[in-house]
Amino acid sequence: MSYKRIIIAVMSMLILTACGENTESEISSEPVVTESTTEKVETTTTTETTKKTDKTTATKSTEKKTTSTTVEKTTESNKTTTVTKATESNKITTAVKTSATTKTAETTEKVTEMTTEAVTEPESKYDAEFNLAETPYIEITKGGDYIVRGYTAEGQIYINTESEEKVEITLDGVDISCPTSSAILVNQAKRCIIKLAEGSANYLRDGGNDKINDGVIFSNDTLRLKGKGSLEINSGNAHGIASDDDVIIESGTYIINALKTGITAHDDITINGGDLQISGGTNGIKSKGTVNINGGNMYISGGEKEEKSSIYASVSFSYTGGKVFAYGNQVTPPAFTPNPYIVVNYVNGISAGNTIGLVLNGAENAVLSPQKNLKCILMLAPDICAGDIFTAYLNGTASSDFIISEGQNIFTIE
């Protein structure tokens, strides 16, 4: 082999070796470059991602800010809108509510009025209430409390409780005329109370020719009258108030005009109070039992017949209080009085239409204007005492003075 070929072979090997190293270097460097590039790429990507993230974050942040701003704006807008709407709404609502409130107020007022009426007006204590204009003939068959009002020219209150129960009837502005019998007829009741409503004015009249139920108020059982009103009784048949049992007057104002006796009872008559003005065609008060006067103020006039009295008691007459001026032809003297009493006898009688004054110790006690002729006057009063001076005046002319002594004092005037 020549030196030339050897040199070329060596050179070729060197070149190949060099080329191999370069290739390895290039291969070796490529991964580095690749890694570097990758790192760069990754870095870049990361950076970009970060940037994107930052951008995103920034965007999100911006969006949040924007959202926040929007919210704030919206909130402000909402606030404004809300206020505006609220204001408008309130205006509208207020108007509506005001209207509703007005209606409600009206309703409430009505309800309140109804409620007030319901609360203010107490629940009726009566078992029944009657108006004579609607029910002229009233029949009560059970015990209880009843109230009657109104007017009837032809009617009656009829009481008939089979079990003999207690009945209380309140008269509150009653005007009853019964052409054929009693205006109030108690056929049967254990006890009947007639009460005059406070401040009320009541009127009763009867008629016909009923010989059994012969009073404007007639009762087969005990009859009690009381109240703070007034009752005027005008008889067209016989008596004013009549009972086959007892008659008891507790209070009230009574004006009784009777063809026969003003108040009559088969048993006892008791007057504990009230103001009475009684004019009887026969007797003023007549009892087949006792007459007991314990209080009140009364003017009692009897009829003109000789045998009739202003006060007549078959058993006895007892006085414990009140003022009594009884005048007529005769009088039953009281069996018991706590203080002296006066009887004035006019020998020649006194004609109707005259005026009589009764004076005690210079003070006028009563003035009488009799509608019938009379001969006798009975005066009972708690302030009559022994030693007092009594004087009777006839049409302004005085009698002689009389000195009161204990017990009965009969003064005769010619």
Side-chain angles (χ1 to χ4, degrees):
M1 179 179 289
S2 64
Y3 288 107
K4 195 174 186 177
R5 288 182 178 181
I6 294 167
I7 292 168
I8 290 168
V10 171
M11 288 292 289
S12 298
M13 290 176 67
L14 289 172
I15 290 167
L16 288 171
T17 303
C19 289
E21 289 175 355
N22 289 336
T23 303
E24 288 176 1
S25 175
E26 286 175 4
I27 292 170
S28 176
S29 63
E30 283 177 6
V32 173
V33 171
T34 303
E35 288 176 0
S36 176
T37 303
T38 303
E39 286 176 1
K40 284 180 182 179
V41 170
E42 286 176 359
T43 303
T44 304
T45 304
T46 304
T47 303
E48 287 177 359
T49 304
T50 304
K51 284 181 182 179
K52 284 181 182 180
T53 304
D54 289 339
K55 284 180 182 180
T56 304
T57 305
T59 304
K60 286 182 180 178
S61 179
T62 305
E63 286 174 0
K64 284 182 181 178
K65 284 182 182 179
T66 305
T67 305
S68 177
T69 304
T70 304
V71 169
E72 287 177 0
K73 284 183 181 178
T74 303
T75 304
E76 288 177 359
S77 175
N78 285 341
K79 282 183 182 177
T80 306
T81 305
T82 301
V83 171
T84 305
K85 284 184 179 178
T87 305
E88 292 174 357
S89 176
N90 285 339
K91 285 181 182 177
I92 295 167
T93 304
T94 302
V96 172
K97 283 187 177 178
T98 302
S99 177
T101 304
T102 305
K103 289 181 180 179
T104 304
E106 292 174 358
T107 307
T108 304
E109 283 178 3
K110 290 179 181 179
V111 171
T112 303
E113 286 175 3
M114 292 173 67
T115 306
T116 303
E117 289 176 2
V119 172
T120 302
E121 186 177 344
E123 187 177 342
S124 179
K125 66 177 182 178
Y126 302 105
D127 294 293
E129 301 186 21
F130 297 98
N131 188 327
L132 290 163
E134 299 171 355
T135 313
Y137 284 91
I138 298 168
E139 182 175 3
I140 296 172
T141 58
K142 293 183 180 180
D145 295 342
Y146 303 88
I147 187 167
V148 182
R149 302 181 179 93
Y151 164 78
T152 177
E154 187 173 340
Q156 184 183 63
I157 298 174
Y158 179 71
I159 301 161
N160 186 30
T161 59
E162 294 181 1
S163 57
E164 294 190 354
E165 298 170 316
K166 173 188 169 184
V167 175
E168 179 172 306
I169 300 172
T170 298
L171 304 182
D172 187 11
V174 161
D175 191 334
I176 302 175
S177 292
C178 185
T180 57
S181 184
S182 303
I184 297 178
L185 175 56
V186 184
N187 187 56
Q188 182 170 281
K190 183 176 182 180
R191 183 175 63 182
C192 181
I193 298 172
I194 295 175
K195 182 179 179 181
L196 309 177
E198 184 171 358
S200 66
N202 304 279
Y203 305 88
L204 301 175
R205 290 170 291 274
D206 71 350
N209 191 28
D210 192 333
K211 301 296 184 182
I212 298 173
N213 306 311
D214 55 358
V216 179
I217 299 177
F218 181 85
S219 177
N220 284 313
D221 299 292
T222 297
L223 183 65
R224 185 184 297 267
L225 297 99
K226 65 178 184 178
K228 295 182 179 180
S230 66
L231 174 60
E232 182 175 328
I233 295 173
N234 291 288
S235 166
N237 178 26
H239 311 301
I241 298 173
S243 174
D244 278 348
D245 207 316
D246 298 335
V247 173
I248 303 166
I249 296 177
E250 300 287 357
S251 55
T253 300
Y254 303 88
I255 299 172
I256 302 173
N257 300 303
L259 291 178
K260 293 186 176 181
T261 303
I263 300 175
T264 181
H266 188 274
D267 292 335
D268 302 328
I269 295 173
T270 302
I271 300 172
N272 295 320
D275 296 305
L276 293 89
Q277 183 176 318
I278 300 171
S279 177
T282 54
N283 301 286
I285 293 177
K286 178 182 178 180
S287 171
K288 293 183 179 180
T290 63
V291 172
N292 307 283
I293 296 178
N294 305 311
N297 298 288
M298 56 208 75
Y299 294 82
I300 304 169
S301 170
E304 298 182 16
K305 293 182 179 180
E306 289 289 336
E307 70 279 8
K308 301 303 178 182
S309 302
S310 52
I311 296 177
Y312 174 82
S314 180
V315 176
S316 67
F317 171 28
S318 173
Y319 166 85
T320 61
K323 287 189 174 183
V324 180
F325 304 98
Y327 42 100
N329 282 319
Q330 294 186 35
V331 65
T332 298
F336 171 81
T337 61
N339 53 288
Y341 65 93
I342 298 167
V343 177
V344 179
N345 284 327
Y346 286 95
V347 175
N348 299 318
I350 301 293
S351 300
N354 286 286
T355 301
I356 302 168
L358 306 177
V359 177
L360 187 65
N361 295 326
E364 187 173 82
N365 269 236
V367 175
L368 309 178
S369 299
Q371 297 176 350
K372 304 178 185 71
N373 299 337
L374 62 87
K375 290 183 177 179
C376 174
I377 298 173
L378 168 68
M379 179 177 172
L380 293 162
D383 51 355
I384 300 175
C385 300
D388 289 345
I389 300 199
F390 172 78
T391 308
Y393 284 80
L394 179 61
N395 297 323
T397 303
S399 67
S400 58
D401 293 336
F402 300 97
I403 298 174
I404 306 293
S405 61
E406 294 292 346
Q408 185 185 67
N409 292 268
I410 299 177
F411 303 133
T412 301
I413 300 174
E414 293 185 359

